[in-house]
Amino acid sequence: MHKAVPIRAASIVLGLLGCWGLDLLCRAFLRDSEQRLVVLAGLYVTLAVSLNLINGIAGQFSIGHAAFYQIGAYTAGYLAFFFYLQSPLQGVGWLLAMLALGMATAALAGLVVGLPSLRLRGDYLAIVTLGFGEIIRIVVQAIDLTTPAGEQVGGALGMSVEPRIRIVGLVWLFALAAIAVSRNLCKSSHGLALLSIREDEIASAAMGVQVAKMKVAAFMIGSAFAGGAGVLLAHSESFISPSMFPMDLSFIVLTMVVLRGSGAITGSVVAALTLFYVPEYLRGLKAADGTALTVTGATLVGWILAVIAAVVAVRWIAYQYRGPRKTRLAGYAATFFGALLVGRALGWAFSFFPALSGASYEVQKLRMVIFAASLIIIMLLRPEGVLGRHEFSWDWLARALRIRRPREAVG
Amino acid sequence: MSLLRLEKATIRFGGLVAVNEVSFDIRKGELFGLIGPNGAGKTTCFNLVTGMYKPTSGRILFEDRDIAGLPVARIVRLGIARTFQNIRLFGSLSALDNVVVAAHLHRRANLIDALLGDPRSMADTERLREEAMGYLRALDLGDVAHAQSRDLPYGKQRRLEIARALATQPKLLLLDEPAAGMNPAEKEDLADTVRRLRDEFGKTLLLIEHDMRFVMGLCERIVVLDHGEKISEGPPEHVRNDPKVIEAYLGEAV
Ligand SMILES: Nc1ncnc2c1ncn2[C@@H]1O[C@H](COP(=O)(O)OP(=O)(O)O)[C@@H](O)[C@H]1O
Ligand SMILES: [Mg+2]
């Protein structure tokens, strides 16, 4: 027996148990609206990990990922519209069937989009995928149907999707499946062949890699997972409309992948969760008395200046300072607390200027600005991605917890 | 028996005839040299043989089968592998992984097994990794197996290119200026390695080289190109004394 077999079995069992546990916890402790966020987070993770397969691992710059998500969702929507009532499959059985069909449809679309990648590179491919995404959205928007009862469905108004099934555990199980597939791939020689295409397509072909097949396969696998996520979204929300799949969504998912570090799956997951929850967190911010949290112009300008100063300082320490590691870490800490202090002090100082102290802003409304600014800051501080090249593994966890001594470097 | 045979192979780029009706014949087990001044069309010949370019006219026969214009990856499967003059390693991959990519040609597991993390796929990847390690050791690169290939010193990168090509298990190995940028000691080592590839691994070798002394000491037969045309062919002592060759190399040290 291969030595990885027990680890693989244990991972599968752990994954199943974890998702089941998560599901129980969510049902027990979270309101419906909060459960919805957990579902959406799982779907974002799936989207980020699946796009990482195309962009990060195969190196094909695709930016229309929301289209495959939408294709999955509408596959579920239309099939439910035409067939759910007469279907012998009901409830979860139907959902699983839709999951398979949604993945297949999206994979087919992935094949169609993957074909230009055989001829186009870099920015040209990016434009094609972006165009494809928009075409899908506009076509879906243009199609509407009339029910026997004379009701309009589809089109810009959207359509309801039967049945409504929101299972947190299943969504996360699907996300885990996307992660597992990416990881398995990366550990195999097939994954290395894909990476070699990213590195140098000509050399890759010269080593016998079937470049065309591999690229299209990456597109199809990545799209299939996005399509599956779309199916889960459709049934979880029980309603879909073209406005749920805007171009912004493609860009946010792309940002998640860009922030991940080179091809790293763990990084994609962390970035997806962060980018999903930060705006949600800011949206929910309230002042102590329950009203919307506001800040004055003085506070805002004070913080902006402090953050800029901190970014400059951190970059200087990271790239110019050559001293010992300890002083370096102390420098980061000093910068952090210094920035807090400076931010407050400047806010106080600026409050003497009526022009600044008079203006007041709701934090909620600033949330996308804060979000965008954080992205810029992350790119300034960690151009190599949030986690760089680090990847989660049981070995790494064991070492971190000091269960196992570090493995000797293989010479 | 001839392993590779070019029959009046010709390729034009617009008005330029980069390779003009070049014919030669490489026998199995030979150490064959392709030389000529800069821009003579040597690398272009490699590109024709490996399917990167399709000849405008003429035939390229490998084991008596016309391979002109077949897809690059197909030609590798038939048994021709190459290195690149301007090193083209997979920079962010480790030296070992570079070689695994080439060994992947002889995988037994399919993509589905790989995606599912099937134990067969894992075992297969491990087998390829061990095989790759063998090629690294054969080229004296065992100690840098886990270093990122772009961080390796120049001479080692050149040897890694050879290890990588070797891992596709070719019958014919094409080396494009393998000694370029090496110092005399490294060149000496390389010459030994090339001989070993033929004697121990049973490969047939076609190598392009700029350094005349290196080629003369190593190859059994040599073809000389100039301005895309074959101007001389034969054993080193014949080529060395051919007035056409001396003229072509005038101004360059022979
Ligand atoms: N793809 C191409 N397009 C146009 N010209 C080319 C191309 N490839 C090679 N050439 C030209 O063919 C000639 C031979 O080049 P090459 O085979 O690289 O010479 P070398 O003998 O130094 O390896 C040069 O003049 C080069 O500019
Ligand atoms: Mg050349």
Side-chain angles (χ1 to χ4, degrees):
Chain A
M1 191 170 66
H2 191 271
K3 69 176 194 295
V5 170
I7 296 180
R8 174 166 176 259
S11 301
I12 293 174
V13 170
L14 255 169
L16 284 170
L17 283 178
C19 289
W20 184 55
L22 179 73
D23 201 76
L24 289 181
L25 284 174
C26 285
R27 275 172 210 282
F29 296 109
L30 295 185
R31 275 175 285 140
D32 202 48
S33 62
E34 291 164 335
Q35 282 189 31
R36 176 171 173 267
L37 290 186
V38 181
V39 164
L40 288 179
L43 297 179
Y44 270 55
V45 167
T46 312
L47 288 177
V49 170
S50 61
L51 182 62
N52 181 49
L53 215 128
I54 302 172
N55 275 28
I57 298 172
Q60 303 304 301
F61 202 66
S62 163
I63 51 182
H65 211 50
F68 303 112
Y69 191 42
Q70 179 167 20
I71 285 170
Y74 271 84
T75 302
Y78 278 115
L79 287 176
F81 178 76
F82 287 115
F83 302 114
Y84 185 61
L85 281 180
Q86 307 94 297
S87 159
L89 277 174
Q90 293 287 313
V92 178
W94 172 267
L95 176 63
L96 292 179
M98 287 304 104
L99 196 57
L101 284 173
M103 287 179 78
T105 319
L108 217 60
L111 172 69
V112 173
V113 181
L115 290 178
S117 80
L118 304 182
R119 302 210 153 263
L120 301 173
R121 258 164 237 178
D123 16 5
Y124 298 102
L125 179 62
I127 292 167
V128 169
T129 55
L130 185 68
F132 174 78
E134 278 304 278
I135 290 170
I136 294 292
R137 198 169 60 85
I138 290 165
V139 166
V140 166
Q141 193 157 326
I143 300 173
D144 48 20
L145 303 173
T146 313
T147 62
E151 225 183 314
Q152 283 258 306
V153 300
L157 293 176
M159 67 196 300
S160 60
V161 182
E162 291 297 321
R164 180 182 182 281
I165 303 180
R166 179 175 291 160
I167 308 175
V168 174
L170 183 64
V171 168
W172 277 91
L173 199 60
F174 192 65
L176 277 190
I179 295 169
V181 161
S182 296
R183 251 183 90 71
N184 290 338
L185 181 63
C186 283
K187 289 182 153 193
S188 74
S189 63
H190 286 85
L192 288 173
L194 260 184
L195 284 171
S196 78
I197 295 175
R198 178 186 81 184
E199 294 295 306
D200 186 332
E201 215 174 298
I202 290 175
S204 183
M207 294 307 124
V209 174
Q210 286 159 311
V211 173
K213 255 194 206 167
M214 292 302 281
K215 274 192 196 177
V216 169
F219 262 100
M220 290 181 72
I221 300 162
S223 311
F225 277 103
V231 171
L232 293 171
L233 173 81
H235 284 282
S236 157
E237 300 282 287
S238 183
F239 174 79
I240 49 178
S241 77
S243 64
M244 289 160 74
F245 310 92
M247 217 194 280
D248 305 23
L249 182 64
S250 288
F251 282 112
I252 291 181
V253 175
L254 183 67
T255 313
M256 291 169 176
V257 173
V258 171
L259 286 182
R260 84 209 177 267
S262 70
I265 303 159
T266 318
S268 302
V269 174
V270 172
L273 288 176
T274 316
L275 292 196
F276 176 72
Y277 274 113
V278 166
E280 289 302 330
Y281 170 76
L282 293 171
R283 196 207 298 270
L285 277 186
K286 293 265 194 303
D289 57 1
T291 58
L293 188 68
T294 60
V295 291
T296 65
T299 317
L300 201 59
V301 173
W303 280 117
I304 290 172
L305 292 177
V307 167
I308 291 174
V311 168
V312 171
V314 168
R315 272 186 70 90
W316 186 85
I317 297 171
Y319 297 114
Q320 311 275 328
Y321 182 70
R322 293 271 167 269
R325 194 179 140 81
K326 260 189 192 155
T327 359
R328 185 187 290 249
L329 291 179
Y332 289 137
T335 309
F336 180 74
F337 290 111
L340 286 183
L341 222 75
V342 170
R344 295 216 149 200
L346 284 178
W348 175 76
F350 289 143
S351 67
F352 293 105
F353 295 94
L356 287 177
S357 58
S360 113
Y361 303 91
E362 273 183 43
V363 173
Q364 281 189 21
K365 293 198 175 137
L366 290 175
R367 90 195 147 85
M368 285 325 278
V369 178
I370 298 175
F371 178 68
S374 336
L375 289 184
I376 295 173
I377 292 169
I378 293 174
M379 287 321 277
L380 283 172
L381 297 184
R382 297 275 313 185
E384 71 277 35
V386 182
L387 293 184
R389 304 176 59 84
H390 298 293
E391 198 69 271
F392 176 84
S393 71
W394 296 123
D395 256 5
W396 172 86
L397 187 70
R399 252 176 291 148
L401 301 174
R402 306 276 160 125
I403 299 172
R404 209 187 285 175
R405 303 248 311 275
R407 243 196 309 192
E408 297 281 314
V410 190
Chain B
M1 183 195 130
S2 94
L3 185 64
L4 180 77
R5 180 193 192 93
L6 270 65
E7 288 180 359
K8 298 195 167 184
T10 303
I11 187 167
R12 263 173 235 283
F13 298 110
L16 176 84
V17 189
V19 175
N20 195 3
E21 304 213 334
V22 169
S23 304
F24 57 84
D25 205 319
I26 301 177
R27 287 185 291 264
K28 203 162 181 313
E30 224 172 350
L31 246 166
F32 199 96
L34 186 58
I35 65 173
N38 249 327
K42 306 177 300 285
T43 300
T44 307
C45 273
F46 271 23
N47 288 335
L48 288 173
V49 172
T50 53
M52 303 208 162
Y53 297 152
K54 190 175 155 60
T56 318
S57 64
R59 300 206 299 166
I60 297 168
L61 302 168
F62 182 66
E63 297 186 314
D64 295 327
R65 155 169 190 201
D66 194 354
I67 57 164
L70 286 184
V72 175
R74 271 289 290 293
I75 292 180
V76 185
R77 276 177 172 66
L78 294 177
I80 304 180
R82 71 174 292 176
T83 65
F84 293 91
Q85 179 180 354
N86 48 339
I87 301 175
R88 301 188 83 130
L89 292 169
F90 308 124
S92 78
L93 302 190
S94 68
L96 181 63
D97 286 348
N98 265 273
V99 184
V100 175
V101 169
H104 176 70
L105 188 63
H106 303 284
R107 66 194 172 267
R108 295 192 196 120
N110 61 29
L111 179 62
I112 305 285
D113 287 341
L115 293 173
L116 297 179
D118 192 285
R120 261 174 309 176
S121 161
M122 291 193 249
D124 193 44
T125 300
E126 213 142 282
R127 174 182 70 87
L128 296 177
R129 193 162 275 144
E130 265 155 37
E131 208 174 275
M133 200 64 207
Y135 289 114
L136 283 180
R137 291 210 184 91
L139 280 147
D140 227 356
L141 291 165
D143 52 332
V144 294
H146 299 278
Q148 224 178 61
S149 61
R150 72 160 65 96
D151 296 339
L152 294 178
Y154 194 75
K156 292 195 174 183
Q157 291 198 5
R158 285 233 171 264
R159 286 221 300 278
L160 179 54
E161 278 245 348
I162 298 176
R164 190 176 67 168
L166 207 52
T168 65
Q169 302 180 9
K171 296 171 188 146
L172 174 65
L173 187 54
L174 313 181
L175 307 179
D176 198 343
E177 304 207 10
M182 286 188 175
N183 61 36
E186 284 176 318
K187 281 185 184 175
E188 200 54 46
D189 272 357
L190 181 72
D192 285 344
T193 307
V194 171
R195 277 187 207 104
R196 230 160 21 92
L197 290 180
R198 197 262 306 266
D199 300 340
E200 282 173 31
F201 289 80
K203 306 292 176 196
T204 306
L205 285 113
L206 168 57
L207 67 114
I208 294 178
E209 192 39 72
H210 213 72
D211 182 338
M212 290 283 264
R213 187 153 4 125
F214 183 81
V215 182
M216 298 284 170
L218 191 58
C219 294
E220 293 144 357
R221 272 198 314 144
I222 294 171
V223 158
V224 189
L225 293 185
D226 188 28
H227 296 299
E229 300 192 17
K230 183 170 91 175
I231 56 168
S232 181
E233 176 174 6
E237 51 282 11
H238 167 77
V239 165
R240 197 191 337 245
N241 299 319
D242 188 331
K244 279 195 192 152
V245 178
I246 294 169
E247 192 184 336
Y249 271 91
L250 216 62
E252 292 194 40
V254 178

